[in-house]
Amino acid sequence: MMPGSLGMTLAQFVSRWNSVLDQGQYPLKGAPERSGATFMFTPEGAANTKLLGVLNDDGSVRAVDAISVAEGISDDIDRDTAQLEALTIWSTLARAVNPRLTEAEGNMVLTDLGLTGVQQFGLLPPLVLDLKGVRYYVIEGDTTTNFVARPSD
């Protein structure tokens, strides 16, 4: 894998994403929105989570950020639903960007990162995990929580 790259093109990322879906939830369909070196997808059926990625000059994917607005939702039930959506999409992202993981390793990324069960966004300590060439981490803002995957080099 070249430094600064997740080792796949945008088309390969989309193909890999759609091949590791949890029960077919949140596929990537159609073309992403593009602006220069960035791309954005709203996974099919997602209401509160988007994927934002950055491409290198050679077209390889440098990083992907799954942004959830669940923290900014005031209604408890709607926020819980949005958090479950985010966790499902984050788990898919963890597996999609790292083909070196076994299925079991991919399914454990969020747990290994420290995201345990149902917990309120906004109360997380800094979470970082380096696993087989990919760094996963969580960034929290006032109304968003981001799960980022980028090369660990």
Side-chain angles (χ1 to χ4, degrees):
M1 186 163 64
M2 77 175 267
S5 171
L6 289 169
M8 60 186 69
T9 65
L10 179 54
Q12 289 168 326
F13 168 72
V14 170
S15 175
R16 175 111 176 108
W17 175 282
N18 288 329
S19 75
V20 299
L21 294 175
D22 181 18
Q23 301 172 10
Q25 292 181 317
Y26 308 113
L28 298 182
K29 295 185 176 178
E33 294 178 38
R34 293 282 304 265
S35 178
T38 64
F39 63 90
M40 187 175 72
F41 276 104
T42 301
E44 182 95 1
N48 300 290
T49 310
K50 294 190 180 298
L51 299 176
L52 181 63
V54 179
L55 300 174
N56 290 310
D57 290 342
D58 68 358
S60 62
V61 177
R62 180 179 336 172
V64 182
D65 179 352
I67 304 165
S68 168
V69 297
E71 184 58 27
I73 298 173
S74 58
D75 180 82
D76 289 344
I77 293 171
D78 290 344
R79 185 175 52 250
D80 288 348
T81 301
Q83 288 176 348
L84 288 173
E85 172 190 283
L87 291 172
T88 301
I89 289 171
W90 291 358
S91 181
T92 301
L93 175 59
R95 293 189 310 272
V97 298
N98 201 340
R100 292 164 299 285
L101 299 180
T102 65
E103 184 174 352
E105 289 170 331
N107 290 336
M108 290 300 294
V109 166
L110 297 182
T111 301
D112 292 345
L113 185 62
L115 289 171
T116 55
V118 177
Q119 75 194 144
Q120 291 294 324
F121 289 13
L123 302 175
L124 300 173
L127 303 174
V128 179
L129 173 68
D130 287 306
L131 188 60
K132 295 190 177 180
V134 176
R135 171 165 285 176
Y136 302 98
Y137 55 97
V138 174
I139 301 172
E140 294 209 84
D142 291 338
T143 59
T144 62
T145 307
N146 300 17
F147 175 71
V148 181
R150 68 168 185 80
S152 54
D153 55 19

